[in-house]
Amino acid sequence: SKQPPVTESHIMVPTVTPAPLPRNGGQSAADRRADSARTAARDARPKGDTLPRQLKQPIEDFRNAIESGLMSTIRSVYPSIVDEKEQYALWDGLFNANDLIRAKVEYIGAHQQSKLVAEVRFRITVSYGSKNSRANPTDLTLGYLATLVRSDPNKEWLIQKLAPIKQPASDNL
């Protein structure tokens, strides 16, 4: 049997020369150090520290409600949880099976869309167990996007909805 002839292909790729970078960006060494220090300070500060207290308050109320271990307290700070079957079942089951519940909130960011609507992204880590058990508490971390509403700019913010964020890693929030 006869082999097909071998053909050669040549592709020409033009060389690209990058533009030279400026040596010092037009800044003195002292200016560059000051910029680096400002950037480091900004990056080191958790984003949540910049959230206004009034946007944190409903989330803190939710955290306190979780620590209470009572569904009635959760319903008082997040009334529409009764429509969120999965969330309702999660908290109800957790409360029924555990008598030692602690929660810690980590704020990721917030956006006030108007005087009456805002969103807060946060992670909540719940440690739960039994006071009678020697086992270490179990940790559960959940990410949420909270929609906060108020009827008037002078009123307190209330949780309208807590939408779970699937993977509460900072990249996804």
Side-chain angles (χ1 to χ4, degrees):
S1 78
K2 216 173 170 190
Q3 294 285 334
V6 175
T7 58
E8 273 187 43
S9 299
H10 292 283
I11 300 172
M12 294 299 292
V13 178
T15 56
V16 178
T17 309
L21 292 172
R23 285 227 187 276
N24 67 4
Q27 294 179 309
S28 70
D31 287 344
R32 285 195 308 277
R33 278 194 300 277
D35 274 354
S36 294
R38 271 194 297 276
T39 302
R42 188 188 63 228
D43 293 348
R45 187 174 60 231
K47 291 183 187 77
D49 283 0
T50 60
L51 259 61
R53 187 197 57 75
Q54 65 265 29
L55 289 180
K56 288 182 178 180
Q57 194 56 56
I59 310 306
E60 291 303 318
D61 293 344
F62 179 64
R63 182 189 64 77
N64 292 333
I66 290 169
E67 288 188 344
S68 78
L70 300 170
M71 280 312 294
S72 59
T73 310
I74 288 236
R75 281 194 309 271
S76 73
V77 299
Y78 177 29
S80 59
I81 193 168
V82 295
D83 303 322
E84 304 288 340
K85 302 291 182 237
E86 278 182 35
Q87 284 186 57
Y88 193 95
L90 168 90
W91 296 117
D92 196 39
L94 193 112
F95 295 161
N96 287 332
N98 300 280
D99 58 5
L100 185 65
I101 302 169
R102 292 284 167 259
K104 192 176 90 199
V105 173
E106 179 189 349
Y107 294 95
I108 287 119
H111 172 63
Q112 189 167 332
Q113 296 165 316
S114 71
K115 290 181 174 163
L116 304 178
V117 179
E119 290 182 334
V120 176
R121 289 174 184 266
F122 68 98
R123 235 183 249 113
I124 189 160
T125 301
V126 181
S127 297
Y128 59 92
S130 169
K131 292 174 185 164
N132 300 326
S133 171
R134 290 182 157 195
N136 285 331
T138 302
D139 280 358
L140 170 68
T141 299
L142 301 165
Y144 284 110
L145 172 60
T147 303
L148 307 181
V149 293
R150 57 186 175 183
S151 56
D152 179 279
N154 301 318
K155 298 260 201 258
E156 297 286 308
W157 290 102
L158 302 170
I159 297 173
Q160 181 185 51
K161 182 163 180 60
L162 287 176
I165 297 170
K166 291 301 179 215
Q167 294 182 321
S170 49
D171 300 354
N172 301 329
L173 292 178

